[in-house]
Amino acid sequence: MVMERNNVVTFKGKPVTLLGPELHVGDRAPDFTVVDNGLSPVTLATYSGKVKVISAVPSLDTPVCEMETRRFNQEAATLPDKVVVLTISLDLPFAQKRWCGAANIDRVITLSDYQERSFGLAYGVLIKELKLLSRSIFVIDRTDIIRYIQHVPEVTREPDYGAVMDAVKNLNQPESVSSSA
């Protein structure tokens, strides 16, 4: 049975139900299987050893999702190579590829959860009523621990980009103390 969560987000002012667990900062990031623009499977392990910024959006073909993905594409240009920015939606991979080409998106990797809803259900962001992903951001460190979560309270609004980028930059600070096992 899939967990249902209410009163987390709204869509056009109306509360919607999110399917899946409530994740917390400090949790191990759940695995998922999505597909890239060539229909090849992609999992969390695909980006092992990297900081992952995962931006879940309802559809790239909407104004707010377009603005968000363009903004993260600009921000990604300022980040080190050890950081990857992923945008996951339920759009078909062919549509994602076409959209990225038309929008000159070259730093954000778009991935589709259309086949199994694996990401949406594992991360608790699948909107039951719409069968779309809720606008949410997860920052996951190199060891696959969730370090930042932002569920945008109203799905039709943009996220707090500054807070996301601060979380990423804090993970990329040189460690002041080296640990030994």
Side-chain angles (χ1 to χ4, degrees):
M1 182 171 181
V2 175
M3 181 183 298
E4 293 188 4
R5 297 179 300 125
N6 297 307
N7 302 314
V8 179
V9 299
T10 59
F11 182 79
K12 296 184 178 179
K14 295 182 180 174
V16 292
T17 306
L18 296 182
L19 299 177
E22 179 180 1
L23 299 178
H24 299 89
V25 170
D27 288 350
R28 176 154 297 284
D31 199 10
F32 56 84
T33 302
V34 292
V35 294
D36 66 15
N37 292 170
L39 295 176
S40 295
V42 173
T43 66
L44 186 65
T46 302
Y47 302 102
S48 180
K50 291 189 177 261
V51 170
K52 294 155 282 291
V53 178
I54 302 177
S55 167
V57 300
S59 175
L60 292 173
D61 199 24
T62 61
V64 177
C65 296
E66 178 174 345
M67 287 186 292
E68 179 177 336
T69 305
R70 286 179 185 272
R71 173 70 181 268
F72 278 125
N73 194 62
Q74 291 172 340
E75 297 288 355
T78 69
L79 297 172
D81 290 340
K82 60 187 172 187
V83 178
V84 62
V85 180
L86 311 173
T87 293
I88 301 178
S89 73
L90 292 174
D91 295 306
L92 293 175
F94 318 109
Q96 289 180 337
K97 183 177 182 178
R98 184 177 56 249
W99 183 87
C100 286
N104 294 315
I105 301 299
D106 58 356
R107 303 238 179 218
V108 168
I109 299 166
T110 56
L111 300 168
S112 178
D113 198 20
Y114 87 99
Q115 288 182 333
E116 299 174 31
R117 310 309 198 259
S118 171
F119 174 83
L121 290 169
Y123 283 70
V125 297
L126 182 62
I127 300 172
K128 179 180 180 179
E129 296 83 355
L130 302 173
K131 306 297 186 269
L132 294 171
L133 300 181
S134 174
R135 189 175 315 284
S136 303
I137 314 292
F138 298 87
V139 177
I140 301 168
D141 72 13
R142 291 185 282 279
T143 64
D144 293 339
I145 301 299
I146 299 171
R147 297 299 178 187
Y148 177 84
I149 299 172
Q150 182 181 147
H151 294 290
V152 179
E154 168 54 50
V155 175
T156 61
R157 301 201 195 262
E158 291 179 83
D160 179 346
Y161 301 108
V164 174
M165 297 315 295
D166 286 347
V168 174
K169 288 173 184 160
N170 288 338
L171 286 178
N172 284 304
Q173 297 299 320
E175 296 191 30
S176 56
V177 178
S178 61
S179 60
S180 57

